[in-house]
Amino acid sequence: MIKAKTEKRLIGILLSLISILIVNSCCTKVHCIGADDLNDISFYGFNQQDLDTLVIKRYNKDSNFQNYLDSLFIEPEYFTSSTEYEMVHLTDKLIVDYDYKIEIISTRQTFTITDFIVEKEKCNTGFMCFDYYNSLGSYKVNGETQTYGFLRIDN
């Protein structure tokens, strides 16, 4: 009688463990790219020659570009190109806790990036499982709100 109860208990535990493994195997395990991964900027309407030298200046958030912190001089080593855009890969990630000025030296253009809005969104969803990540809800380029979910600058 005791042996039968022990066997039933072991079978119950074993079935519970198998169920947990099956449920967890339904979860996807991908890296959801969002506000914590701002190491690329897509430039629409530019060519690679335009983007051969960039200066990214970082400022305290909401300082109206009065509190300069530091800058990053970039000569992009590689691009991802398409017929629509040139994507510049940055050596350092941009952090949403700051405002930025991006200067394109060859075209003498300056773009401001401000007012990052970060939202929590579900990622790696599946049956009874999900993670949250920091999604890039919106930001402003030269005062115009952008909602692409990635950094985009239009010429």
Side-chain angles (χ1 to χ4, degrees), residues 41-81:
I41 302 175
S42 296
F43 290 88
Y44 284 72
F46 294 89
N47 60 49
Q48 285 186 8
Q49 292 76 23
D50 294 338
L51 305 171
D52 66 349
T53 305
L54 305 173
V55 176
I56 299 177
K57 295 181 178 179
R58 184 170 57 151
Y59 296 82
N60 280 334
K61 187 175 190 156
D62 299 325
S63 70
N64 201 26
F65 299 100
Q66 298 303 307
N67 294 358
Y68 171 79
L69 297 173
D70 59 13
S71 62
L72 181 63
F73 183 80
I74 298 174
E75 292 178 325
E77 295 178 17
Y78 66 99
F79 295 86
T80 300
S81 297

Side-chain angles (χ1 to χ4, degrees), residues 138-155:
S138 67
Y139 57 96
K140 290 184 179 178
V141 174
N142 292 343
E144 298 291 323
T145 300
Q146 310 293 318
T147 58
Y148 297 109
F150 61 94
L151 291 178
R152 174 179 171 155
I153 294 179
D154 292 290
N155 194 3

Side-chain angles (χ1 to χ4, degrees), residues 7-23:
E7 286 177 0
K8 284 182 181 181
R9 185 175 274 169
L10 285 174
I11 289 172
I13 291 171
L14 185 59
L15 288 174
S16 295
L17 288 173
I18 290 171
S19 297
I20 290 170
L21 288 173
I22 289 171
V23 166

